[in-house]
Each structure stands twice: as C-alpha cells, then as structure tokens.
Amino acid sequence: MSITRINPTPRWSDATVFQNVIHFVEVPNDVNTDMADQVRQVLAQAEATLQLAGSDKSRLLMATIYVTDAADVPALNAAWEAWLPAGAAPSRACIKVELLNPAMKVEIAFVAARA
C-alpha cells in the first residue's frame, strides 16, 4: 500500500493519504485576530486541503481541536456548526492546550475519507 504525501516539506506534508483516508492539520495564518476569525481561517484552509486531496467537509471522520482558552469554545462551536453540512458532524475531541505560538488560539487535526 502506498502513502501519498501532498506538498511534503522536510518538516511536514500538507496532508497524507493512506487507504483513501486523509490526515492533515490546519493552523491560522493570521494569529493577530480573535478566535472566531482564527477558526474561520482554519476551516477555509481545511476545505482547500480536502479538495486538493479529493474530498470535502461532508466526508470528515474525526477532528481533534486544540484550543488555548476554554472561554473561546462558544465562538469555536458557532463557526464549526455553521461550517459543517447538516448531518455530517464528525467525531470530535476538543482539548485545552498551550500552543507553541502564544497568539495562536486554535489548531485542528482532521481525518477524512476520500470521495
């Protein structure tokens, strides 16, 4: 079985695909914004990565969401629920962490099925 790596660099790949399952992580590009905007950035990037890998947000299997402040979770949830297609919510874990960049409020690891 082969592994497909999308846009690999020495440190990471934008996504990896094995047996038609896509794994990838998104972080906000502009961290000088609030949680709602950082989440919107991450979700827009996720849509682009899914399309590049041959899938879409209706095929998400799992999301692991890392947040730095539990008080920001309502903003996260509002953006998340507005973004997902009805009936297509994946399994999800939301974990409070300290991210390496103190201005970053959110990071999301995704797993999706290829279309």
Side-chain angles (χ1 to χ4, degrees), residues 40-109:
R40 281 190 291 274
Q41 291 176 56
V42 166
L43 298 178
Q45 292 165 205
E47 276 196 71
T49 300
L50 285 163
Q51 184 177 27
L52 192 60
S55 191
D56 63 64
K57 61 187 175 182
S58 73
R59 302 192 50 85
L60 288 172
L61 302 172
M62 177 69 189
T64 305
I65 303 171
Y66 305 95
V67 299
T68 58
D69 186 345
D72 285 334
V73 172
L76 161 76
N77 286 338
W80 180 257
E81 291 168 13
W83 179 71
L84 285 171
S91 298
R92 180 182 121 161
C94 191
I95 305 161
K96 184 180 176 296
V97 299
E98 180 181 343
L99 295 172
L100 292 177
N101 181 338
M104 191 180 300
K105 298 178 181 299
V106 63
E107 180 172 335
I108 305 178

Side-chain angles (χ1 to χ4, degrees), residues 18-60:
F18 181 70
Q19 295 185 339
N20 289 319
V21 177
I22 307 156
H23 299 262
F24 64 101
V25 175
E26 299 293 352
V27 298
N29 287 327
D30 180 4
V31 296
N32 297 311
T33 63
D34 64 9
M35 175 61 121
D37 187 62
Q38 287 193 26
V39 172
R40 281 190 291 274
Q41 291 176 56
V42 166
L43 298 178
Q45 292 165 205
E47 276 196 71
T49 300
L50 285 163
Q51 184 177 27
L52 192 60
S55 191
D56 63 64
K57 61 187 175 182
S58 73
R59 302 192 50 85
L60 288 172

